[in-house]
Structures are given as C-alpha cells and as structure tokens.
Amino acid sequence: MSAKKVEKEAERALVAARAAVDEAERAVKKLDKRSRKAAEELTARLEQAAKDARKAVRRSEQTARAAKEQADAIAGPAVAASPSSGIPTFHSLRDRAKAQGIQGYSRMNKAQLLHALGEG
C-alpha cells in the first residue's frame, strides 16, 4: 500500500471518528435534556408533596384544637357543683370519671367517685 492510500484511509477514518464523536455529543446533549427534565419533574413532585404534608399538619393541628375545645366544653359543665351546697352531684362526678377514663366508675358511690377524682 502506498503512502497516499494510507493517508486517505487515515483521513476517512478520522472523518468517521469525528462524525461518531459529534453523534455522541448530540446524544449526550439529549440525555442531559432528558435528565434535567426528569430532575425538574421530580423536584416539582417533591415540592407538591411537601405542600401536601404541610397542609395535612395544619389540618391535624386544627382538628386537635377543635377536639380539645370540645373536650374542654364537655368537661367544663361536668365540673359544676350543685347550686345549693357547692358539692358536685353524683351524675356530674360520674361524667367526670368517665371523661378521665377511671375504671369501674359505674359501680362507685359518690364518696368513692370523689376519692377517685382526687377530691375526697
């Protein structure tokens, strides 16, 4: 093989290599665009999930506040003493014992309820 032929073959191989490199660079750019787009989509989904989580926390806090207010409202009147003597009624003592989760309150008399509630 002559030197000119070898040079021409090398030139063709070099052109083919340059074309292959250019094609690879284009593929990398496409891949980068896809990766960037996928990362942006994941970021958007993560931000939405964070918003949803914050909203759920706010809702649960509101529900807890409402439940506490309701429990306070229910427990409030049960604390009221009988109007004439200042001593709580049997029924109000039972209601308070039930609200506090005292076991066996339904079988207790007034003195036992007062003792169980820490008032006697």
Side-chain angles (χ1 to χ4, degrees):
M1 218 184 231
S2 70
K4 275 193 165 193
K5 238 183 175 179
V6 171
E7 275 183 35
K8 283 214 179 212
E9 282 295 318
E11 235 178 90
R12 283 190 209 124
L14 189 56
V15 168
R18 284 186 185 143
V21 168
D22 290 342
E23 182 65 29
E25 286 176 348
R26 281 192 296 274
V28 167
K29 284 182 181 178
K30 284 182 183 177
L31 181 62
D32 284 347
K33 287 180 183 176
R34 285 185 195 144
S35 298
R36 234 183 346 260
K37 187 175 180 178
E40 289 170 359
E41 288 174 0
L42 287 174
T43 301
R45 287 174 53 195
L46 180 62
E47 289 172 359
Q48 184 62 42
K51 284 180 186 178
D52 291 345
R54 285 191 295 270
K55 190 184 289 187
V57 166
R58 280 194 306 272
R59 284 183 183 160
S60 66
E61 288 172 349
Q62 288 174 345
T63 303
R65 275 195 301 271
K68 185 178 181 326
E69 290 171 2
Q70 188 177 20
D72 290 345
I74 291 171
V79 176
S82 74
S84 61
S85 66
I87 299 173
T89 64
F90 174 75
H91 292 292
S92 66
L93 290 171
R94 281 187 64 173
D95 291 342
R96 286 180 42 209
K98 181 179 180 181
Q100 290 183 16
I102 296 174
Q103 292 183 350
Y105 73 91
S106 63
R107 292 182 298 276
M108 293 182 186
N109 61 29
K110 190 172 182 177
Q112 291 169 327
L113 286 168
L114 282 168
H115 181 70
L117 292 169
E119 298 179 13

